[in-house]
Amino acid sequence: MTSQRHRRLAPQDIPAVVRQVVKRTPVTDIHTHLYPPAMGDRLLSGIEALLTYHYLIAEALRSDRQDADAFWTRATSDQAAWIWRVLFEHQSPLSEAARGVVHTLSRLGVVRDGAWTWEAVRAAARRAATPDDVERVLALAGVDQVVMTNDPFDPEERAWWWRGAEARAARFYASLRIDRLLNQPESAVAQARQQGYAVSLDRTAANRAEWQRFLSDWITQTTPVYVAWSLGADWEFPNESLRTWFLDEVVVPVLETHELALALMMGVERQVNPQLRDAGDGVVTVSLAPLEALLRTYPQIRVLATALARENQHELTVLARKFPQLMIFGCWWFLNTTSLMREITAMRVELLGPTFIPQHSDARVLEQVIYKWDLTREVLAHVLSDRYEALATAGWPVTEDAIQRDVRGLLSQNFWDFVRRSP
Ligand code: FIX
Ligand code: ZN
Protein backbone atom coordinates (compact mmCIF):
# COMPACT_ATOMS: atom_id res chain seq x y z
CA MET A 1 0.00 0.00 0.00
CA THR A 2 1.71 3.25 -1.13
CA SER A 3 1.69 5.79 1.67
CA GLN A 4 0.02 9.09 0.92
CA ARG A 5 3.37 10.88 0.73
CA HIS A 6 4.80 8.54 -1.88
CA ARG A 7 1.68 8.77 -4.03
CA ARG A 8 2.00 10.56 -7.40
CA LEU A 9 0.09 13.85 -7.15
CA ALA A 10 -2.39 15.01 -9.78
CA PRO A 11 -1.38 18.48 -11.07
CA GLN A 12 -4.48 20.10 -9.62
CA ASP A 13 -3.67 18.73 -6.14
CA ILE A 14 -0.13 20.09 -6.09
CA PRO A 15 -0.67 23.72 -4.92
CA ALA A 16 -2.42 22.64 -1.72
CA VAL A 17 0.31 20.10 -0.92
CA VAL A 18 3.07 22.62 -1.64
CA ARG A 19 1.44 25.18 0.65
CA GLN A 20 1.16 22.63 3.48
CA VAL A 21 4.78 21.50 3.09
CA VAL A 22 6.16 25.06 2.90
CA LYS A 23 4.07 26.10 5.89
CA ARG A 24 5.21 23.21 8.13
CA THR A 25 8.91 23.10 7.18
CA PRO A 26 11.12 24.83 9.79
CA VAL A 27 13.45 27.62 8.69
CA THR A 28 17.06 28.44 9.43
CA ASP A 29 17.20 32.24 9.29
CA ILE A 30 20.75 32.68 8.04
CA HIS A 31 21.15 36.44 8.54
CA THR A 32 19.46 38.50 11.26
CA HIS A 33 20.19 41.24 13.79
CA LEU A 34 18.43 39.26 16.52
CA TYR A 35 20.09 38.21 19.76
CA PRO A 36 19.18 36.00 22.72
CA PRO A 37 17.40 37.81 25.60
CA ALA A 38 20.52 37.22 27.77
CA MET A 39 22.26 39.82 25.57
CA GLY A 40 19.93 42.40 27.10
CA ASP A 41 18.70 45.31 25.03
CA ARG A 42 20.50 43.98 21.96
CA LEU A 43 17.26 42.05 21.35
CA LEU A 44 14.61 44.55 20.22
CA SER A 45 10.92 43.74 20.59
CA GLY A 46 7.53 45.36 21.16
CA ILE A 47 5.45 47.92 19.26
CA GLU A 48 7.83 50.86 19.63
CA ALA A 49 10.73 48.84 18.20
CA LEU A 50 8.49 47.54 15.40
CA LEU A 51 7.46 51.09 14.42
CA THR A 52 10.87 52.72 14.76
CA TYR A 53 12.36 50.13 12.37
CA HIS A 54 14.62 52.10 10.06
CA TYR A 55 12.60 51.04 7.02
CA LEU A 56 9.53 52.79 8.53
CA ILE A 57 11.50 55.81 9.72
CA ALA A 58 12.59 56.48 6.13
CA GLU A 59 9.04 55.97 4.84
CA ALA A 60 7.47 58.25 7.48
CA LEU A 61 10.03 61.04 7.02
CA ARG A 62 9.35 60.86 3.28
CA SER A 63 5.56 60.85 3.65
CA ASP A 64 5.49 63.70 6.12
CA ARG A 65 8.53 65.49 4.64
CA GLN A 66 9.66 66.08 8.19
CA ASP A 67 13.15 67.23 9.10
CA ALA A 68 15.14 64.15 10.16
CA ASP A 69 17.24 66.07 12.70
CA ALA A 70 14.08 67.08 14.57
CA PHE A 71 12.89 63.46 14.48
CA TRP A 72 16.01 62.20 16.21
CA THR A 73 15.53 64.59 19.12
CA ARG A 74 12.22 62.94 20.04
CA ALA A 75 11.81 60.09 22.54
CA THR A 76 11.29 56.63 21.02
CA SER A 77 7.68 56.55 22.24
CA ASP A 78 6.99 59.87 20.47
CA GLN A 79 8.76 58.65 17.33
CA ALA A 80 6.61 55.50 17.32
CA ALA A 81 3.38 57.45 17.85
CA TRP A 82 4.29 59.84 15.03
CA ILE A 83 5.18 57.00 12.63
CA TRP A 84 1.87 55.31 13.44
CA ARG A 85 0.02 58.58 12.68
CA VAL A 86 1.87 59.20 9.40
CA LEU A 87 1.97 55.69 7.95
CA PHE A 88 -1.14 54.09 9.48
CA GLU A 89 -3.62 56.94 10.04
CA HIS A 90 -2.83 59.59 7.41
CA GLN A 91 -2.41 56.92 4.70
CA SER A 92 -2.98 53.18 4.27
CA PRO A 93 -0.05 50.96 5.42
CA LEU A 94 0.51 49.68 1.89
CA SER A 95 4.33 49.38 1.90
CA GLU A 96 5.85 45.96 2.64
CA ALA A 97 7.26 47.11 5.98
CA ALA A 98 4.06 48.88 7.11
CA ARG A 99 1.86 45.97 6.04
CA GLY A 100 4.31 43.76 7.90
CA VAL A 101 3.46 45.50 11.17
CA VAL A 102 -0.26 44.93 10.59
CA HIS A 103 0.33 41.28 9.65
CA THR A 104 2.52 40.70 12.69
CA LEU A 105 0.12 42.31 15.17
CA SER A 106 -2.76 40.29 13.73
CA ARG A 107 -0.81 37.02 13.88
CA LEU A 108 0.19 37.78 17.48
CA GLY A 109 -3.48 38.32 18.27
CA VAL A 110 -2.60 41.76 19.62
CA VAL A 111 -5.43 43.60 17.95
CA ARG A 112 -8.83 42.53 19.18
CA ASP A 113 -12.04 43.10 17.22
CA GLY A 114 -10.15 45.09 14.63
CA ALA A 115 -9.44 47.94 17.09
CA TRP A 116 -6.55 49.49 15.19
CA THR A 117 -6.31 52.59 17.34
CA TRP A 118 -2.84 53.65 18.51
CA GLU A 119 -3.96 53.48 22.14
CA ALA A 120 -5.19 49.88 21.72
CA VAL A 121 -2.15 48.75 19.75
CA ARG A 122 0.37 50.45 22.04
CA ALA A 123 -1.25 49.05 25.17
CA ALA A 124 -1.37 45.52 23.79
CA ALA A 125 2.06 45.27 22.18
CA ARG A 126 4.38 47.15 24.51
CA ARG A 127 6.18 44.24 26.18
CA ALA A 128 9.88 43.62 25.64
CA ALA A 129 11.00 40.10 24.75
CA THR A 130 11.57 37.49 27.41
CA PRO A 131 12.84 33.95 26.71
CA ASP A 132 9.25 32.74 26.58
CA ASP A 133 8.41 35.41 24.00
CA VAL A 134 11.37 34.35 21.88
CA GLU A 135 10.25 30.73 21.82
CA ARG A 136 6.64 31.71 21.12
CA VAL A 137 7.49 34.19 18.36
CA LEU A 138 10.00 31.89 16.63
CA ALA A 139 7.45 29.08 16.80
CA LEU A 140 4.78 31.35 15.25
CA ALA A 141 7.21 32.19 12.46
CA GLY A 142 8.34 28.57 12.03
CA VAL A 143 11.96 29.56 12.62
CA ASP A 144 14.17 26.89 14.19
CA GLN A 145 17.58 28.49 14.08
CA VAL A 146 18.71 32.13 13.97
CA VAL A 147 22.12 33.39 12.81
CA MET A 148 23.13 36.62 14.52
CA THR A 149 25.37 39.44 13.26
CA ASN A 150 28.40 39.60 15.54
CA ASP A 151 31.05 42.30 15.13
CA PRO A 152 34.47 41.35 16.66
CA PHE A 153 35.35 45.06 16.67
CA ASP A 154 32.41 45.96 18.94
CA PRO A 155 33.51 46.18 22.61
CA GLU A 156 30.03 45.04 23.75
CA GLU A 157 30.43 41.82 21.75
CA ARG A 158 33.84 41.26 23.31
CA ALA A 159 32.42 41.61 26.80
CA TRP A 160 29.56 39.23 25.99
CA TRP A 161 31.59 36.43 24.40
CA TRP A 162 34.42 36.50 26.90
CA ARG A 163 31.96 36.30 29.79
CA GLY A 164 32.07 32.45 29.56
CA ALA A 165 29.61 29.64 29.39
CA GLU A 166 26.45 31.72 29.51
CA ALA A 167 27.41 33.23 26.18
CA ARG A 168 25.92 30.18 24.49
CA ALA A 169 22.21 30.46 23.68
CA ALA A 170 20.03 27.74 22.15
CA ARG A 171 18.79 28.45 18.58
CA PHE A 172 21.16 31.41 18.19
CA TYR A 173 24.32 30.95 16.11
CA ALA A 174 27.12 33.43 15.70
CA SER A 175 28.53 34.86 12.50
CA LEU A 176 31.76 36.88 12.36
CA ARG A 177 31.20 40.21 10.61
CA ILE A 178 34.51 41.62 9.39
CA ASP A 179 33.27 44.79 7.65
CA ARG A 180 35.54 46.94 9.82
CA LEU A 181 38.67 44.99 8.86
CA LEU A 182 38.03 45.25 5.11
CA ASN A 183 36.17 48.59 4.92
CA GLN A 184 37.65 50.71 7.76
CA PRO A 185 41.00 49.07 8.59
CA GLU A 186 42.23 52.00 10.70
CA SER A 187 39.24 51.61 13.01
CA ALA A 188 39.79 47.82 13.07
CA VAL A 189 43.40 48.32 14.18
CA ALA A 190 42.34 50.61 17.03
CA GLN A 191 39.69 48.17 18.26
CA ALA A 192 41.88 45.04 17.97
CA ARG A 193 44.67 46.82 19.85
CA GLN A 194 42.16 47.62 22.61
CA GLN A 195 41.64 43.85 22.85
CA GLY A 196 45.39 43.26 23.25
CA TYR A 197 46.48 42.37 19.72
CA ALA A 198 49.64 44.05 18.40
CA VAL A 199 48.18 44.63 14.94
CA SER A 200 48.85 47.34 12.37
CA LEU A 201 48.33 47.99 8.67
CA ASP A 202 51.86 46.83 7.81
CA ARG A 203 52.11 44.05 5.25
CA THR A 204 54.53 42.01 7.30
CA ALA A 205 54.63 38.35 8.36
CA ALA A 206 54.30 39.39 12.01
CA ASN A 207 51.21 41.49 11.31
CA ARG A 208 49.70 38.73 9.22
CA ALA A 209 50.18 36.25 12.06
CA GLU A 210 48.69 38.67 14.63
CA TRP A 211 45.59 39.38 12.55
CA GLN A 212 45.15 35.65 11.98
CA ARG A 213 45.44 35.15 15.75
CA PHE A 214 42.79 37.83 16.33
CA LEU A 215 40.27 36.19 13.98
CA SER A 216 41.10 32.66 15.17
CA ASP A 217 40.58 33.65 18.81
CA TRP A 218 37.15 35.09 17.93
CA ILE A 219 36.27 31.98 15.94
CA THR A 220 37.29 29.72 18.81
CA GLN A 221 35.31 31.82 21.29
CA THR A 222 32.10 32.28 19.24
CA THR A 223 32.09 29.26 16.85
CA PRO A 224 30.54 31.27 13.98
CA VAL A 225 28.77 29.41 11.15
CA TYR A 226 30.35 31.75 8.58
CA VAL A 227 32.47 34.91 8.26
CA ALA A 228 30.53 37.84 6.71
CA TRP A 229 31.45 41.02 4.86
CA SER A 230 29.10 43.68 3.46
CA LEU A 231 30.49 45.89 0.72
CA GLY A 232 29.64 48.48 -1.89
CA ALA A 233 30.79 49.08 -5.43
CA ASP A 234 34.42 49.82 -4.54
CA TRP A 235 35.68 46.21 -4.41
CA GLU A 236 38.40 45.31 -6.87
CA PHE A 237 40.15 41.93 -6.78
CA PRO A 238 42.89 41.04 -7.32
CA ASN A 239 44.95 44.23 -7.01
CA GLU A 240 47.71 45.66 -4.85
CA SER A 241 45.36 47.18 -2.23
CA LEU A 242 45.55 46.62 1.52
CA ARG A 243 42.08 45.06 1.29
CA THR A 244 43.43 42.40 -1.11
CA TRP A 245 46.38 41.82 1.24
CA PHE A 246 43.93 41.21 4.11
CA LEU A 247 41.87 38.83 1.95
CA ASP A 248 44.89 36.90 0.61
CA GLU A 249 47.03 36.85 3.76
CA VAL A 250 44.55 36.89 6.63
CA VAL A 251 40.95 36.08 5.75
CA VAL A 252 41.39 33.21 3.27
CA PRO A 253 43.99 31.35 5.40
CA VAL A 254 41.73 31.66 8.46
CA LEU A 255 38.69 30.43 6.49
CA GLU A 256 40.72 27.42 5.38
CA THR A 257 42.08 26.66 8.85
CA HIS A 258 38.61 26.77 10.43
CA GLU A 259 36.74 25.36 7.39
CA LEU A 260 34.44 28.38 7.31
CA ALA A 261 32.48 29.85 4.41
CA LEU A 262 32.63 33.54 3.52
CA ALA A 263 29.26 35.35 3.23
CA LEU A 264 29.39 38.36 0.88
CA MET A 265 26.62 40.97 1.03
CA MET A 266 27.27 43.15 -2.00
CA GLY A 267 25.82 46.44 -3.20
CA VAL A 268 25.12 48.51 -0.10
CA GLU A 269 25.94 52.23 -0.43
CA ARG A 270 26.42 53.22 3.19
CA GLN A 271 25.03 56.56 4.41
CA VAL A 272 23.65 57.90 1.15
CA ASN A 273 21.78 60.30 3.41
CA PRO A 274 23.57 60.50 6.78
CA GLN A 275 20.68 62.53 8.25
CA LEU A 276 18.66 59.30 8.26
CA ARG A 277 21.30 57.36 10.28
CA ASP A 278 20.51 53.57 10.07
CA ALA A 279 17.83 54.43 7.52
CA GLY A 280 20.34 56.33 5.40
CA ASP A 281 21.92 53.43 3.49
CA GLY A 282 21.18 52.95 -0.20
CA VAL A 283 21.74 50.47 -3.00
CA VAL A 284 24.33 50.35 -5.78
CA THR A 285 24.74 47.96 -8.70
CA VAL A 286 28.11 46.25 -8.37
CA SER A 287 30.52 44.53 -10.72
CA LEU A 288 30.63 40.80 -10.00
CA ALA A 289 34.08 40.54 -11.59
CA PRO A 290 35.90 40.61 -8.22
CA LEU A 291 33.65 37.79 -6.93
CA GLU A 292 34.32 35.78 -10.08
CA ALA A 293 38.08 36.35 -9.63
CA LEU A 294 37.91 35.34 -5.95
CA LEU A 295 36.07 32.11 -6.85
CA ARG A 296 38.63 31.29 -9.55
CA THR A 297 41.61 32.20 -7.35
CA TYR A 298 40.37 30.26 -4.31
CA PRO A 299 38.21 27.34 -5.58
CA GLN A 300 38.53 25.72 -2.16
CA ILE A 301 36.70 28.59 -0.41
CA ARG A 302 32.94 28.32 -0.13
CA VAL A 303 31.17 31.65 -0.71
CA LEU A 304 27.61 32.55 0.29
CA ALA A 305 26.57 35.66 -1.66
CA THR A 306 23.67 38.06 -1.90
CA ALA A 307 23.39 41.29 -3.90
CA LEU A 308 21.24 44.25 -2.95
CA ALA A 309 20.59 45.57 -6.47
CA ARG A 310 17.83 43.98 -8.55
CA GLU A 311 20.10 44.59 -11.54
CA ASN A 312 22.70 42.15 -10.18
CA GLN A 313 20.35 39.21 -9.64
CA HIS A 314 20.44 37.47 -13.02
CA GLU A 315 24.23 37.70 -13.41
CA LEU A 316 24.73 36.44 -9.83
CA THR A 317 22.42 33.48 -10.50
CA VAL A 318 24.28 32.59 -13.70
CA LEU A 319 27.59 32.87 -11.79
CA ALA A 320 26.24 30.30 -9.31
CA ARG A 321 25.79 27.91 -12.25
CA LYS A 322 29.50 28.30 -13.05
CA PHE A 323 30.91 27.86 -9.53
CA PRO A 324 29.50 25.07 -7.30
CA GLN A 325 31.29 26.72 -4.35
CA LEU A 326 28.99 29.75 -4.72
CA MET A 327 25.69 29.59 -2.82
CA ILE A 328 23.37 32.52 -3.42
CA PHE A 329 20.97 33.60 -0.74
CA GLY A 330 18.23 36.02 0.15
CA CYS A 331 16.16 38.79 -1.33
CA TRP A 332 18.00 41.34 0.76
CA TRP A 333 16.48 44.53 2.28
CA PHE A 334 15.03 46.58 -0.62
CA LEU A 335 14.42 43.28 -2.50
CA ASN A 336 12.38 41.82 0.34
CA THR A 337 9.04 42.68 -1.28
CA THR A 338 6.38 40.42 -2.73
CA SER A 339 6.89 41.42 -6.36
CA LEU A 340 10.71 41.31 -6.34
CA MET A 341 10.96 38.14 -4.25
CA ARG A 342 8.57 36.40 -6.63
CA GLU A 343 10.59 37.53 -9.70
CA ILE A 344 13.95 36.62 -8.19
CA THR A 345 12.89 33.29 -6.66
CA ALA A 346 11.23 32.12 -9.89
CA MET A 347 14.38 33.00 -11.86
CA ARG A 348 16.60 31.16 -9.34
CA VAL A 349 14.44 28.00 -9.42
CA GLU A 350 14.42 28.07 -13.22
CA LEU A 351 18.22 28.43 -13.38
CA LEU A 352 19.38 26.53 -10.29
CA GLY A 353 16.59 24.15 -9.31
CA PRO A 354 16.19 23.86 -5.50
CA THR A 355 19.91 24.48 -4.83
CA PHE A 356 19.96 27.98 -3.30
CA ILE A 357 18.78 29.76 -0.12
CA PRO A 358 15.69 31.79 -1.03
CA GLN A 359 15.56 34.15 1.93
CA HIS A 360 16.89 35.47 5.20
CA SER A 361 14.79 37.83 7.30
CA ASP A 362 17.40 40.43 8.28
CA ALA A 363 15.04 40.95 11.23
CA ARG A 364 16.11 43.62 13.71
CA VAL A 365 13.04 43.27 15.92
CA LEU A 366 12.02 39.85 17.24
CA GLU A 367 8.40 39.90 16.01
CA GLN A 368 9.43 40.83 12.45
CA VAL A 369 10.28 37.18 11.75
CA ILE A 370 6.53 36.53 11.68
CA TYR A 371 5.68 38.74 8.71
CA LYS A 372 9.01 38.28 6.93
CA TRP A 373 8.72 34.50 6.93
CA ASP A 374 4.98 34.42 6.23
CA LEU A 375 5.67 36.54 3.14
CA THR A 376 8.56 34.31 2.10
CA ARG A 377 6.49 31.14 2.51
CA GLU A 378 3.63 32.64 0.51
CA VAL A 379 5.94 33.58 -2.37
CA LEU A 380 7.90 30.32 -2.26
CA ALA A 381 4.71 28.23 -2.31
CA HIS A 382 3.43 30.25 -5.27
CA VAL A 383 6.65 29.82 -7.27
CA LEU A 384 7.15 26.14 -6.43
CA SER A 385 3.53 25.21 -7.18
CA ASP A 386 3.93 26.49 -10.74
CA ARG A 387 7.17 24.50 -11.18
CA TYR A 388 5.83 21.23 -9.73
CA GLU A 389 2.57 21.53 -11.70
CA ALA A 390 4.54 22.01 -14.92
CA LEU A 391 6.68 19.00 -14.00
CA ALA A 392 3.65 16.83 -13.29
CA THR A 393 1.96 17.94 -16.48
CA ALA A 394 5.11 16.92 -18.37
CA GLY A 395 4.66 13.43 -16.93
CA TRP A 396 7.05 13.48 -13.97
CA PRO A 397 5.82 11.69 -10.81
CA VAL A 398 5.62 14.56 -8.28
CA THR A 399 5.12 13.25 -4.72
CA GLU A 400 4.72 14.95 -1.35
CA ASP A 401 7.95 13.30 -0.19
CA ALA A 402 9.89 14.86 -3.06
CA ILE A 403 8.39 18.28 -2.39
CA GLN A 404 9.29 17.93 1.31
CA ARG A 405 12.90 17.01 0.45
CA ASP A 406 13.29 20.03 -1.87
CA VAL A 407 11.63 22.49 0.53
CA ARG A 408 13.65 21.27 3.53
CA GLY A 409 16.75 21.99 1.45
CA LEU A 410 15.62 25.47 0.45
CA LEU A 411 14.55 26.52 3.97
CA SER A 412 17.44 25.05 5.96
CA GLN A 413 19.43 22.02 4.78
CA ASN A 414 21.08 23.75 1.77
CA PHE A 415 22.61 26.17 4.28
CA TRP A 416 23.83 23.64 6.85
CA ASP A 417 25.25 21.36 4.13
CA PHE A 418 27.03 24.31 2.49
CA VAL A 419 28.59 25.67 5.68
CA ARG A 420 29.43 22.09 6.73
CA ARG A 421 27.92 22.50 10.15
CA SER A 422 24.87 20.88 11.76
CA PRO A 423 22.38 22.71 14.00
O1 FIX B 1 24.54 45.03 6.46
C1 FIX B 1 23.54 44.52 6.92
O2 FIX B 1 23.54 43.55 7.74
C2 FIX B 1 22.18 45.09 6.54
O3 FIX B 1 21.22 44.08 6.54
C3 FIX B 1 21.81 46.17 7.54
O4 FIX B 1 22.85 47.12 7.57
C4 FIX B 1 20.50 46.88 7.17
O5 FIX B 1 20.35 48.01 8.00
C5 FIX B 1 19.30 46.00 7.35
O6 FIX B 1 18.96 45.68 8.46
C6 FIX B 1 18.60 45.61 6.19
O7 FIX B 1 17.59 44.87 6.26
ZN1 ZN C 1 21.58 42.71 7.97
Side-chain angles (χ1 to χ4, degrees):
M1 169 75 160
T2 312
S3 89
Q4 186 64 24
R5 291 188 171 193
H6 292 304
R7 189 187 302 279
R8 181 179 191 146
L9 294 166
Q12 66 274 18
D13 298 335
I14 286 174
V17 172
V18 171
R19 265 195 309 277
Q20 281 163 22
V21 170
V22 169
K23 183 172 169 53
R24 72 178 182 229
T25 302
V27 151
T28 294
D29 198 342
I30 79 161
H31 170 63
T32 76
H33 302 267
L34 299 180
Y35 302 92
M39 282 183 94
D41 56 10
R42 298 290 298 275
L43 176 62
L44 301 176
S45 87
I47 189 62
E48 291 182 2
L50 280 173
L51 288 172
T52 54
Y53 184 35
H54 69 69
Y55 292 30
L56 294 173
I57 291 174
E59 291 173 29
L61 288 171
R62 169 183 162 65
S63 289
D64 201 50
R65 274 188 277 289
Q66 222 222 39
D67 171 54
D69 291 338
F71 172 80
W72 297 116
T73 64
R74 303 165 79 166
T76 303
S77 53
D78 292 342
Q79 293 174 349
W82 175 74
I83 288 170
W84 180 267
R85 235 182 354 270
V86 171
L87 296 182
F88 296 77
E89 291 178 357
H90 297 169
Q91 65 188 53
S92 302
L94 290 176
S95 75
E96 208 70 44
R99 183 190 65 83
V101 171
V102 174
H103 180 99
T104 297
L105 295 178
S106 294
R107 281 265 272 128
L108 283 167
V110 158
V111 178
R112 303 238 175 275
D113 315 324
W116 290 98
T117 62
W118 173 232
E119 289 63 33
V121 165
R122 183 180 51 183
R126 177 188 298 280
R127 183 178 55 193
T130 63
D132 291 348
D133 290 334
V134 171
E135 286 303 311
R136 183 168 76 91
V137 170
L138 293 182
L140 267 175
V143 173
D144 252 8
Q145 283 91 25
V146 172
V147 182
M148 304 177 277
T149 297
N150 306 101
D151 176 356
F153 301 101
D154 174 349
E156 267 188 45
E157 290 273 4
R158 179 82 189 186
W160 162 259
W161 290 104
W162 265 261
R163 192 181 291 162
E166 77 275 15
R168 322 282 350 131
R171 293 180 181 286
F172 287 84
Y173 295 80
S175 63
L176 200 63
R177 186 68 177 262
I178 57 171
D179 289 17
R180 210 93 60 103
L181 179 66
L182 297 175
N183 300 342
Q184 296 122 354
E186 296 78 6
S187 155
V189 166
Q191 279 300 329
R193 280 183 178 166
Q194 288 279 335
Q195 297 178 35
Y197 295 87
V199 290
S200 70
L201 298 181
D202 302 339
R203 304 189 196 191
T204 62
N207 192 37
R208 175 195 307 124
E210 191 63 349
W211 274 115
Q212 288 186 5
R213 186 171 77 89
F214 170 81
L215 291 181
S216 289
D217 287 354
W218 269 92
I219 289 166
T220 304
Q221 197 68 16
T222 65
T223 57
V225 289
Y226 58 70
V227 173
W229 171 32
S230 81
L231 58 150
D234 62 345
W235 182 30
E236 292 175 11
F237 181 90
N239 61 11
E240 296 308 312
S241 69
L242 176 63
R243 176 183 268 173
T244 298
W245 184 84
F246 271 126
L247 282 170
D248 288 340
E249 304 298 335
V250 177
V251 176
V252 168
V254 164
L255 293 174
E256 285 188 285
T257 304
H258 296 274
E259 279 209 47
L260 279 167
L262 175 65
L264 294 183
M265 302 169 70
M266 303 174 289
V268 52
E269 186 82 28
R270 294 292 178 191
Q271 295 303 283
V272 165
N273 180 355
Q275 260 201 317
L276 299 189
R277 299 186 185 175
D278 264 358
D281 297 332
V283 57
V284 63
T285 302
V286 297
S287 160
L288 296 182
L291 169 59
E292 199 177 304
L294 183 81
L295 292 163
R296 251 198 314 273
T297 310
Y298 297 112
Q300 75 282 18
I301 298 293
R302 285 158 289 125
V303 178
L304 290 150
T306 196
L308 189 51
R310 180 189 188 194
E311 294 74 9
N312 280 130
Q313 300 307 317
H314 184 254
E315 185 185 352
L316 182 62
T317 305
V318 171
L319 204 57
R321 288 169 61 93
K322 305 305 160 198
F323 294 96
Q325 74 272 33
L326 173 62
M327 172 66 76
I328 58 178
F329 74 93
C331 295
W332 184 23
W333 202 337
F334 306 112
L335 299 175
N336 192 355
T337 65
T338 306
S339 62
L340 292 173
M341 201 192 300
R342 193 174 280 187
E343 170 190 291
I344 293 165
T345 305
M347 174 187 64
R348 288 172 173 173
V349 173
E350 291 158 356
L351 285 172
L352 302 174
T355 66
F356 62 97
I357 300 165
Q359 190 53 294
H360 64 278
S361 71
D362 229 317
R364 284 177 171 269
V365 182
L366 173 64
E367 297 89 333
Q368 288 175 335
V369 290
I370 295 173
Y371 87 85
K372 288 174 181 270
W373 283 107
D374 283 358
L375 165 63
T376 298
R377 285 190 161 98
E378 192 182 302
V379 169
L380 189 60
H382 176 88
V383 170
L384 291 179
S385 294
D386 285 355
R387 304 305 299 169
Y388 284 116
E389 274 188 275
L391 207 50
T393 305
W396 183 262
V398 176
T399 66
E400 182 173 340
D401 260 1
I403 294 169
Q404 181 66 74
R405 174 204 56 208
D406 301 339
V407 169
R408 183 177 299 113
L410 287 163
L411 293 182
S412 67
Q413 204 55 46
N414 290 354
F415 172 71
W416 293 109
D417 292 347
F418 189 77
V419 295
R420 295 181 190 162
R421 299 290 190 278
S422 53

